[in-house]
Amino acid sequence: MLGTIRAFWNDQRGIAMILVAIMLPVLIGFALLAIDMSRANGLHNDLQKGVDAYALAAAAELDGNSDAITRADRAIDNLLTNGTKFSTSGDHTLARADLTIKYLTGIPASDSITLSAAGVDGNGVNWASTDPKAVKFAEVTVNASGVAAGAGAFATIFPASFIGGTDTMDIQPQAVAGFTNALCQFTPMFICNPFTNSSTSLSDLQTALSGTKKPMIWLKEQQGGNSAQYGPGNYGFLSSPEGDKNTGAITKMFAVTNPPACYGQSGVTTRPGNIPPVNDGINTRFDIFSNGGPYKTDPTINPPAPNVRKGMVASNAGKKNCSYGAPNSGQAKNYKALPRDDCFYANGGCSHAGALGDGTWNFYRAPTDPKFATDPGYWNVNHPSATTAAVTAACGAAPSRYCVYKFEINNPGLNSGSEATAPQCNTTTQTADRRLLYVAVIDCTANNVHGGGQTLPVQAFASVFVTEPAGGAPNADIYGEMEDISTVVGLGTLKKLQRNEAQLYR
């Protein structure tokens, strides 16, 4: 008997079954975990692609317009209708309730700083905003299963409840996309925002451009080198993406129809040092060519605008020595350039006199007006026998100068006075936009702009319709009418130059 017991005790046959019985649950558990992790990784990738698409779609609408957030929400809703299936609780169609969507004015400088679904970073900074004019980023986060239906609610195969855990897993991918704005074929110029309060200046400028009446801006070049402080109404030059060009190259960029430069709204760099006036480049747009006549440069590269009316008399039309000069005393009453805003002459009612006008200019005076005899309106002088009915129907009762300028181009049969609309020296003309300057608007006060070599944020890009030839040295002043800010308001003059892109940041 004892021998039998001893033999059984020493018998090792079947011991593997014991080890298998012990390890089998562990092996199955690891296998289930591997399957769960593979499924979780696949679901995470699918959800990440989804929220990436939603963030990009929303960010593409954040152009600073008053309805930007409304359009961004609509873009996300349009994608949600695609009905992509996620999760394991049956087939779950991704719904708006599965997402937390926030719009941000900025993002942390480092990706190592976390960003919550509410738009608050790891340092406690809240980037979320509901101001459609301020937000530039769209943040989309998949909700936890306990918050909503739970597109990221993942039912595990591994029975974690047996060891005190939960049989579900929350997958919460997040995506942050931003809106970038750049303009190409752009004149290398910046202007200081005439409104100095950085918190309201851009919206004030947008409001000023929201109607048919457009304000004039009086731009003055700041002199004094890198120590000069720039203020409202000053203008300066930007470094070209190809480097700091010399005066001749900068002037040429103002003369040609397609300057080889692109600038992004994230920041531009001012050109160091003084640049003599670039008037010769600007004035080619008015059919005025320096140094020997209109054919000094290729007329197809530097053509004038189709409308160059400027209150000047042409001599030797169509010849190489063609030129323009001021009318003599006997001719003066028959020539009149587009007038400047009234507030440049009298400050009453113009809160930013000297930099920005209020858009009120001498378009037309009734013959019964006491001022008619000494200062008739632009229309009175240049179209004396034509009524204003058609132009005001097209441009509004208080028309912008740019709209009147284009009306003259589009109506070549319009009865005109002494000065011709079309150029008289170089008849190779460009489109109506030829008299537009494209500029970057910078808050020079808030950014302490004091010279060249500074990299500065751009509040907006703007188009300025040049209303008269630029003055010669030392007077490099430029008078123009502001038309658009980054296509948000106005006549859409920047659209052909604008490159809007949405890109993922996080």
Side-chain angles (χ1 to χ4, degrees), residues 244-401:
D244 294 325
K245 294 183 177 291
N246 59 32
T247 297
I250 290 287
T251 302
K252 184 178 179 180
M253 291 180 74
F254 280 84
V256 298
T257 56
N258 298 310
C262 293
Y263 297 95
Q265 194 161 350
S266 57
V268 294
T269 301
T270 56
R271 189 195 183 286
N274 284 333
I275 290 288
V278 294
N279 301 334
D280 287 345
I282 294 174
N283 289 344
T284 61
R285 303 159 190 253
F286 286 91
D287 198 30
I288 299 174
F289 296 82
S290 63
N291 299 330
Y295 303 105
K296 172 180 177 288
T297 56
D298 187 340
T300 62
I301 296 176
N302 309 325
N307 182 349
V308 296
R309 185 175 276 116
K310 50 191 173 289
M312 300 178 73
V313 179
S315 300
N316 302 313
K319 299 179 181 179
K320 289 190 175 181
N321 61 344
C322 178
S323 63
Y324 290 88
N328 59 41
S329 57
Q331 298 170 316
K333 65 180 181 179
N334 298 320
Y335 288 82
K336 192 178 187 72
L338 287 167
R340 301 171 185 174
D341 275 3
D342 293 346
C343 68
F344 287 125
Y345 302 106
N347 292 343
C350 183
S351 60
H352 294 272
L356 192 72
D358 63 358
T360 301
W361 60 288
N362 187 8
F363 164 61
Y364 173 80
R365 288 197 198 281
T368 55
D369 190 318
K371 296 181 180 180
F372 178 82
T374 56
D375 186 20
Y378 173 84
W379 197 264
N380 301 103
V381 173
N382 291 294
H383 309 291
S385 59
T387 70
T388 61
V391 67
T392 55
C395 301
S400 69
R401 278 157 285 230

Side-chain angles (χ1 to χ4, degrees), residues 79-103:
L79 281 180
L80 289 172
T81 60
N82 290 344
T84 306
K85 305 295 185 181
F86 294 111
S87 190
T88 56
S89 302
D91 286 331
H92 179 82
T93 301
L94 193 62
R96 186 61 175 263
D98 294 313
L99 306 174
T100 295
I101 302 167
K102 293 292 182 181
Y103 298 101

Side-chain angles (χ1 to χ4, degrees), residues 201-265:
S201 60
L202 186 56
S203 60
D204 284 345
L205 206 49
Q206 289 172 342
T207 300
L209 298 180
S210 60
T212 59
K213 184 170 70 172
K214 306 292 183 181
M216 175 174 276
I217 189 165
W218 178 9
L219 298 172
K220 298 182 179 182
E221 184 181 9
Q222 180 60 278
Q223 300 290 331
N226 290 342
S227 62
Q229 177 69 48
Y230 283 73
N234 287 145
Y235 74 88
F237 301 100
L238 300 174
S239 290
S240 164
E242 300 174 354
D244 294 325
K245 294 183 177 291
N246 59 32
T247 297
I250 290 287
T251 302
K252 184 178 179 180
M253 291 180 74
F254 280 84
V256 298
T257 56
N258 298 310
C262 293
Y263 297 95
Q265 194 161 350

Side-chain angles (χ1 to χ4, degrees), residues 30-251:
F30 275 116
L32 295 178
L33 281 175
I35 295 172
D36 281 342
M37 292 306 297
S38 176
R39 293 170 60 229
N41 184 64
L43 177 59
H44 184 279
N45 288 340
D46 288 343
L47 286 173
Q48 187 65 61
K49 292 176 184 177
V51 294
D52 286 351
Y54 299 144
L56 286 168
E61 304 297 333
L62 302 181
D63 57 2
N65 206 335
S66 59
D67 64 344
I69 290 179
T70 300
R71 287 185 284 107
D73 287 338
R74 186 186 306 130
I76 290 179
D77 290 338
N78 288 340
L79 281 180
L80 289 172
T81 60
N82 290 344
T84 306
K85 305 295 185 181
F86 294 111
S87 190
T88 56
S89 302
D91 286 331
H92 179 82
T93 301
L94 193 62
R96 186 61 175 263
D98 294 313
L99 306 174
T100 295
I101 302 167
K102 293 292 182 181
Y103 298 101
L104 315 178
T105 58
I107 56 176
S110 172
D111 288 344
S112 63
I113 302 174
T114 59
L115 192 62
S116 73
V120 180
D121 69 21
N123 295 326
V125 178
N126 187 358
W127 298 96
S129 174
T130 57
D131 182 356
K133 296 180 180 180
V135 294
K136 293 297 180 184
F137 298 89
E139 179 194 40
V140 181
T141 309
V142 175
N143 291 330
S145 59
V147 176
F154 180 79
T156 63
I157 300 175
F158 181 80
S161 57
F162 288 170
I163 56 175
T166 176
D167 294 338
T168 60
M169 182 188 305
D170 283 330
I171 299 175
Q172 292 183 268
Q174 181 186 83
V176 178
F179 180 86
T180 58
N181 184 9
L183 270 78
C184 295
Q185 300 178 358
F186 193 83
T187 42
M189 183 179 186
F190 74 90
I191 65 173
C192 296
N193 195 323
F195 293 92
T196 58
N197 186 328
S198 60
S199 64
T200 61
S201 60
L202 186 56
S203 60
D204 284 345
L205 206 49
Q206 289 172 342
T207 300
L209 298 180
S210 60
T212 59
K213 184 170 70 172
K214 306 292 183 181
M216 175 174 276
I217 189 165
W218 178 9
L219 298 172
K220 298 182 179 182
E221 184 181 9
Q222 180 60 278
Q223 300 290 331
N226 290 342
S227 62
Q229 177 69 48
Y230 283 73
N234 287 145
Y235 74 88
F237 301 100
L238 300 174
S239 290
S240 164
E242 300 174 354
D244 294 325
K245 294 183 177 291
N246 59 32
T247 297
I250 290 287
T251 302

